[in-house]
Every structure is written in structure tokens, then in C-alpha cells.
Amino acid sequence: MRKEPKVSVIINCFTQMECSNAKKFPYFAYCEPVGIESVKKQNYKNKEIILADKKSPFGAGVIRNDAIKISKGEIIFFLDGDLILADKNYISNIVKIFDERDVIVVVAGSV
């Protein structure tokens, strides 16, 4: 297996709670703490979390594109802020699919 690629987890946010230990960018300041904690607890360590605030007047697509521009990951993983990754291997399983199969997109409800 090759070196673990960096995964950028872009979380669409819904709440007014400010999070200080995630990247900040215009409109990237609020998050759902439970969803972020589930990403932090993932077994896969080579990751970054970017918060994208959907309350922006620009819309989710534009905000996600802005998040991609500042991301450093080889793999981009989108997560809605009100969702939890219950399986601690979820991101590892996504990376494994990229590694084992020559794919450029993975869409998953469960892996």
C-alpha cells in the first residue's frame, strides 16, 4: 500500500456554535460538535477538517468549492454537519477503495 493520502473532510455546518480548532475561512466558522467529534475519532489519522457554513448567502456548492480550494487533501470527503460517522473505520474504508480500485469518485451511504 502506498503512503496514506491526506483526506480533507469538508463539513457543512448548521449551528451557531463556534469551533476554534478547525480551519477558518470566510463563512467557515460554525459547526455541529457531535459530527466533528466523530471525524476526530476516526482511525485514519492523515486528515484535516474544514468547516463550511451553509448559512452563507452563496449556497452550498460555492462554499464547498471554496473549501476545496484551501484543502490540502488528495481525497475530498463531504459530510453534512448533522451526521455522525459511527464506524471509526469509515474514512479508512473509503481510502481503501481508492487504493484498491482505480477510481476517482466514491459515493457512499455505508461502506
Side-chain angles (χ1 to χ4, degrees), residues 61-76:
V62 173
I63 295 306
R64 282 182 172 177
N65 287 339
D66 286 345
I68 290 170
K69 289 175 188 173
I70 66 167
S71 71
K72 293 182 176 47
E74 295 174 60
I75 297 173
I76 306 295

Side-chain angles (χ1 to χ4, degrees), residues 43-90:
N43 291 346
Y44 195 82
K45 300 299 179 202
N46 192 15
K47 64 184 177 291
E48 66 177 350
I49 299 171
I50 300 173
L51 307 176
D53 186 1
K54 286 177 74 172
K55 293 181 182 184
S56 161
F58 302 115
V62 173
I63 295 306
R64 282 182 172 177
N65 287 339
D66 286 345
I68 290 170
K69 289 175 188 173
I70 66 167
S71 71
K72 293 182 176 47
E74 295 174 60
I75 297 173
I76 306 295
F77 181 89
F78 293 109
L79 180 69
D80 285 336
D82 59 345
L83 298 179
I84 296 171
L85 299 179
D87 179 355
K88 291 184 179 185
N89 295 309
Y90 196 93

Side-chain angles (χ1 to χ4, degrees), residues 14-108:
F14 299 101
T15 70
Q16 295 287 329
M17 184 174 164
E18 187 165 2
C19 297
S20 59
N21 49 348
K23 288 188 174 186
K24 290 196 177 183
F25 191 74
Y27 311 108
F28 287 49
Y30 304 105
C31 62
E32 180 68 47
V34 178
I36 288 176
E37 288 304 314
S38 75
V39 173
K40 287 181 179 178
K41 292 178 182 176
Q42 289 291 300
N43 291 346
Y44 195 82
K45 300 299 179 202
N46 192 15
K47 64 184 177 291
E48 66 177 350
I49 299 171
I50 300 173
L51 307 176
D53 186 1
K54 286 177 74 172
K55 293 181 182 184
S56 161
F58 302 115
V62 173
I63 295 306
R64 282 182 172 177
N65 287 339
D66 286 345
I68 290 170
K69 289 175 188 173
I70 66 167
S71 71
K72 293 182 176 47
E74 295 174 60
I75 297 173
I76 306 295
F77 181 89
F78 293 109
L79 180 69
D80 285 336
D82 59 345
L83 298 179
I84 296 171
L85 299 179
D87 179 355
K88 291 184 179 185
N89 295 309
Y90 196 93
I91 293 175
S92 294
N93 291 337
I94 295 287
V95 171
K96 185 176 179 181
I97 291 170
F98 276 97
D99 193 48
E100 291 177 350
R101 305 172 193 168
D102 193 20
V103 298
I104 57 170
V105 175
V106 175
V107 178

